[in-house]
Amino acid sequence: MKLKTLFTQACAAVVLGAMAHAALADQLDDIKKAGKIRVAIAMGTPLFSFADANLQPAGSDVDTAKLLAQDLGVKLDIVSVTNAARVPTLQANRADVVVADLSITPERAQVIDFSVPYAVISIIVGAPKSMNIKTYDDLNGKRVGLTRATVNDTLTTQNAKGAQIVRYEDDATLITSMVTGQVDIFSSTPSNLGEMAKRAPEKNLELKFTQKDFDLGIALNKNQPRLKEWINEWVKTNLKNGKLNAIYKKYHGRDLPDSVTKAS
């Protein structure tokens, strides 16, 4: 009797597990049925995602999301988030995917899935020309501004242990803080450096050193095999036909590296 009960419970567990897996694996169908895909985008990031002169979303990530929705045959529903909220928004199911200059890192890959790389981002330290900064050691004792919960935050925290790190919730606030003189040194991206230099040319800001180059992936929740497969094939197809490279070059002024385009 006890053996029969255990067998019945085991069967029930298998059925429930299969049902749960099937439900998770059906997100692609759910998106198609809903007729829209919710894409989390970190607005306020120069070149990647920002409001244009008509206050409409623009940038390489925005155009990438538009192309994704178009090829999927659904409407694009942009979910505007801060950098720090990118992963939590996905985990809370407030978005189906994230296209928000999100670097592929081992730490993030433990809790979410990534597509194959669709673009790249460089992480840099910048400051006025008058400041002698060449390495992390030169940041000791200095205030360094950066955006919270980014690879910039991780890299600088790990390698500039003597720096006083000032964390901001998004890139737009970091840029404003640099322009208004709240901080003089930052860890961010070349695109943000360009925006700072445009808004405050008198500061003579320049790139001091490159911290690291990262591949960017489209993020989605784990246990979504069909959605992940579709997105991976979509990225590979649009890298091969040049559409993703054209989007990147339109905003960033350079081609995607061979490490991304040749991997497709």
Side-chain angles (χ1 to χ4, degrees):
M1 183 69 177
K2 187 178 293 185
L3 183 61
K4 182 178 180 181
T5 300
L6 289 173
F7 178 76
T8 303
Q9 290 175 341
C11 289
V14 171
V15 171
L16 289 172
M19 289 174 64
H21 179 77
L24 287 169
D26 279 342
Q27 188 179 12
L28 179 61
D29 288 337
D30 291 341
I31 291 169
K32 291 180 177 180
K33 288 176 182 177
K36 68 176 181 180
I37 183 167
R38 300 168 301 161
V39 181
I41 300 179
M43 299 303 298
T45 304
L47 307 186
F48 285 98
S49 48
F50 56 92
D52 64 16
N54 297 315
L55 301 181
Q56 296 300 307
S60 58
D61 275 344
V62 174
D63 282 8
T64 298
K66 287 179 178 178
L67 182 62
L68 176 68
Q70 175 186 307
D71 290 348
L72 190 53
V74 297
K75 176 185 175 183
L76 172 62
D77 182 4
I78 293 179
V79 180
S80 182
V81 297
T82 63
N83 292 80
R86 291 173 296 183
V87 173
T89 296
L90 182 63
Q91 292 178 309
N93 196 35
R94 291 194 294 270
D96 299 308
V97 299
V98 177
V99 183
D101 59 291
L102 194 62
S103 302
I104 301 172
T105 66
E107 295 78 14
R108 288 172 177 160
Q110 289 179 10
V111 294
I112 59 173
D113 265 347
F114 285 99
S115 70
V116 295
Y118 73 96
V120 294
I121 192 170
S122 296
I123 306 304
I124 65 166
V125 167
K129 288 183 179 180
S130 59
M131 300 185 75
N132 184 23
I133 297 174
K134 296 180 180 179
T135 68
Y136 284 110
D137 288 341
D138 296 324
L139 300 179
N140 289 336
K142 297 181 175 66
R143 283 163 53 87
V144 181
L146 49 77
T147 305
R148 186 188 306 278
T150 60
V151 289
N152 316 61
D153 193 346
T154 303
L155 284 171
T156 308
T157 300
Q158 289 176 345
N159 296 291
K161 297 187 183 300
Q164 181 184 348
I165 298 175
V166 183
R167 294 176 173 85
Y168 298 96
E169 292 302 317
D170 52 44
D171 287 348
T173 309
L174 170 64
I175 291 169
T176 299
S177 297
M178 279 295 300
V179 169
T180 57
Q182 296 178 47
V183 288
D184 293 319
I185 307 169
F186 69 90
S187 168
S188 193
T189 64
S191 57
N192 284 343
L193 168 60
E195 182 66 17
M196 294 169 188
K198 183 173 70 175
R199 291 171 55 179
E202 73 283 356
K203 290 186 175 294
N204 294 315
L205 298 175
E206 67 176 7
L207 187 156
K208 293 300 184 180
F209 65 90
T210 298
Q211 295 174 263
K212 195 170 183 178
D213 292 323
F214 283 94
D215 289 335
L216 302 180
I218 295 174
L220 65 157
N221 277 314
K222 287 187 175 295
N223 300 314
Q224 300 292 349
R226 292 184 60 236
L227 180 61
K228 183 176 181 179
E229 181 182 11
W230 189 94
I231 292 175
N232 277 338
E233 288 305 311
W234 178 85
V235 171
K236 293 175 183 178
T237 296
N238 285 283
L239 284 172
K240 286 180 180 178
N241 64 26
K243 289 184 179 180
L244 285 174
N245 185 68
I247 288 173
Y248 191 81
K249 190 172 184 178
K250 173 184 175 182
Y251 292 97
H252 299 269
R254 61 190 177 104
D255 291 314
L256 288 168
D258 289 346
S259 61
V260 173
T261 58
K262 295 296 175 62
S264 64

